[in-house]
Each structure stands twice: as C-alpha cells, then as structure tokens.
Amino acid sequence: MTAMPTLFVSHGAPTFAIEPGLAGAQLHSLGQTLGKPRAIVVISPHWMTQGVEITATDRPETVHDFGGFPRELYALQYPAPGSPELATRVQQQLQSQGIPARLDARRGLDHGAWVPLLHLYPDADVPVIQVSLPIDADEAKAFALGQALAPLAQEGVLIIGSGSLTHNLYEFRSGEAAVASYAREFSVWVRQAVLDGDTARLLQTLRAAPHAARAHPSTEHFLPLLVAAGAAKLPTPVTVLDGGIRHGVLAMESYLFGRQVPVDVPEHEHA
C-alpha cells in the first residue's frame, strides 16, 4: 500500500466550484500526479462540533451550505461514496490518541470538502469521509488532531485540511479586484514557515505573522492548515501550489506536505 502525503487546500469562495482559475487547474493537475488514494479524510471549518465527529454514511449527500450565489452552484453534486468502515477506523485511531470521537451516520460533505474535491478528483470515485473541527480547537489542538490522524496516511489515505490561507470576508470584493497588500504579506510569511518546516512558527502564526488579525478575524479557516501540517510530521518536502489571490483578499495558496511533485498547468487553464 502506497503511503500518501497530506494536503492543505485553500477552498476560497463557493464560486471556486464554477470558477476554478489557476488554483483549480493546479488541483486538477495534482490529482493526476498523485493518483487515486485508497480514501480521503477531509477536515473543513464549515463543520464545527462539540468534540470530534466523523461522517459514517456510505452515500454522503452534497451539502450546499451557502446562500446568495448563482443558481448553478446549487445544482452541483459530488456523489463520492462514503466509507463506514474507514469512519470506524478513524474513530478508533483518534480514541487511541486520547481524542474522543463520535460517528454521524447522516451528515454529508459541506462545500469546504466537495468544492476542492471537484477539481482534485472530478470523477468522485474515491471514498470520502469528513472529520469535524472541534469548536474549542486552537492551534495546538488542531496540530494534535493532525498528529493523531497521521498513521492513516501510511494506509493510503489522503488527509486534507481545507480552509483558506487568508479569510477576511468583511473585505471580500465581488469579481476580481486589486490584491490587498496585507494578504500577500501574510501569505509570504506563512509560506516561508511551511517551507522551513518550522512547527513553532506555524503555531504562532495568528499572533506573530504580519497582519494576522486582518488576514484571519477568526481562526477556523487557518486551523485546517495546522491539521495538515500535524499529520505530515514536519520538517518534510513541500510542494507549493500558488493559486494567487482572488477577490482581492482570498489567498488560494495550497501546500502538499511530504512530497515534491511537478504541477503542470496548461497555459489556457490559467484564466
């Protein structure tokens, strides 16, 4: 069984599903390069619970957990199978590391999960389960959650933390707009910490990085990066997917931990 790297992906706005841009093209290329994992475990800030919960249905529905967007978004489906067996395995793994977890036999996949997967594995033929982000999670707890999940990667499971490298929706601008300098400066700081494999610096990001409070008025979209990093056992080789900054303030940068791979994107797919 081939061990898998771990991935942090910036999922941006829900319109990322229909406006892939460079970031979507990069994820598509990455999926082809990596090949299909045995299964996917994804953590998204759009499912936050008291304690940890795990989807355990064999056919998770596509949850359209957003409002006010184009009608075509609500027609999209991502009919990937679930895996009750893997859900139980994840529950046992977390509990063995002192993290209580419950199974949810009804919950589907929110847009933090299915929107990036539309680009990464568009055929929806890889089993997917989702692990919730605890409401009381901080940086250390998110990193520890990743560490607890890490053995799954050795079993051919792709662990994905889906969030956003920057996430200030108060400054979100519809359409494309000039890039806010603070979003770029914050992103550069985080990228260097990731490339250095500097765990201490990553755990201090929301207090030490330039413009951190503006880049993340709340923490939940940053924490999935720490889950992915925790599962990766830093320092490790990293592939940077620089998807640019959309809508002026949403950095679409993603990181593959544990492997350096080429991400070839045809020129016509950059738009």
Side-chain angles (χ1 to χ4, degrees), residues 167-175 177-183 211 213-217 246-250:
H167 192 258
N168 187 331
L169 295 186
Y170 302 108
E171 299 185 27
F172 180 90
R173 306 162 197 172
S174 61
V179 171
S181 60
Y182 82 85
H211 316 292
R214 191 174 178 188
H216 287 279
R246 304 294 298 268
H247 308 290
V249 295
L250 293 182

Side-chain angles (χ1 to χ4, degrees), residues 34-102:
L34 290 180
K36 293 177 184 177
R38 181 170 72 88
I40 294 168
V41 170
V42 59
I43 296 89
S44 157
H46 297 288
W47 187 27
M48 299 186 72
T49 58
Q50 294 285 353
V52 176
E53 297 189 9
I54 304 161
T55 59
T57 174
D58 58 357
R59 289 289 170 186
E61 68 173 323
T62 304
V63 180
H64 299 86
D65 54 331
F66 43 77
F69 289 95
R71 183 175 300 177
E72 61 187 300
L73 271 180
Y74 302 92
L76 291 176
Q77 296 292 314
Y78 190 77
S83 177
E85 296 80 9
L86 178 59
T88 299
R89 168 75 182 95
V90 173
Q91 181 188 36
Q92 293 170 342
Q93 173 59 33
L94 291 176
Q95 291 177 339
S96 75
Q97 299 302 305
I99 300 176
R102 303 180 301 276

Side-chain angles (χ1 to χ4, degrees), residues 7-263:
L7 177 65
F8 166 72
V9 59
S10 291
H11 63 249
T15 48
F16 183 37
I18 56 176
E19 299 172 356
L22 176 57
Q26 290 174 331
L27 286 178
H28 182 72
S29 175
L30 180 63
Q32 293 180 318
T33 300
L34 290 180
K36 293 177 184 177
R38 181 170 72 88
I40 294 168
V41 170
V42 59
I43 296 89
S44 157
H46 297 288
W47 187 27
M48 299 186 72
T49 58
Q50 294 285 353
V52 176
E53 297 189 9
I54 304 161
T55 59
T57 174
D58 58 357
R59 289 289 170 186
E61 68 173 323
T62 304
V63 180
H64 299 86
D65 54 331
F66 43 77
F69 289 95
R71 183 175 300 177
E72 61 187 300
L73 271 180
Y74 302 92
L76 291 176
Q77 296 292 314
Y78 190 77
S83 177
E85 296 80 9
L86 178 59
T88 299
R89 168 75 182 95
V90 173
Q91 181 188 36
Q92 293 170 342
Q93 173 59 33
L94 291 176
Q95 291 177 339
S96 75
Q97 299 302 305
I99 300 176
R102 303 180 301 276
L103 300 181
D104 186 328
R106 300 177 62 183
R107 171 80 186 190
L109 304 176
D110 64 54
H111 80 273
W114 65 262
V115 166
L117 289 177
L118 272 176
H119 305 302
L120 189 64
Y121 293 110
D123 293 335
D125 55 357
V126 179
V128 181
I129 72 165
Q130 189 165 342
V131 173
S132 71
L133 189 64
I135 288 174
D136 65 349
D138 57 14
E139 294 91 329
K141 288 181 179 179
F143 193 82
L145 178 59
Q147 289 178 309
L149 293 169
L152 298 168
Q154 300 303 311
E155 301 170 15
V157 175
L158 177 62
I159 300 167
I160 301 177
S162 175
S164 191
L165 194 60
T166 59
H167 192 258
N168 187 331
L169 295 186
Y170 302 108
E171 299 185 27
F172 180 90
R173 306 162 197 172
S174 61
E176 292 308 305
V179 171
S181 60
Y182 82 85
R184 189 176 303 282
E185 291 172 21
F186 178 86
S187 300
V188 168
W189 194 96
V190 175
R191 180 192 291 193
Q192 193 60 55
V194 168
L195 290 174
D196 291 344
D198 191 336
T199 299
R201 190 177 183 194
L202 279 174
L203 290 173
Q204 290 292 319
T205 297
L206 297 180
R207 290 174 290 281
H211 316 292
R214 191 174 178 188
H216 287 279
S218 57
T219 64
E220 74 281 349
H221 275 75
F222 184 77
L223 296 180
L225 168 56
L226 297 178
V227 176
K233 300 181 180 179
L234 303 181
T236 187
V238 174
T239 300
V240 176
L241 287 74
D242 181 359
I245 296 178
R246 304 294 298 268
H247 308 290
V249 295
L250 293 182
M252 297 297 293
E253 185 153 299
S254 300
Y255 304 116
L256 183 73
F257 293 95
R259 196 176 301 177
Q260 289 181 324
V261 300
V263 181

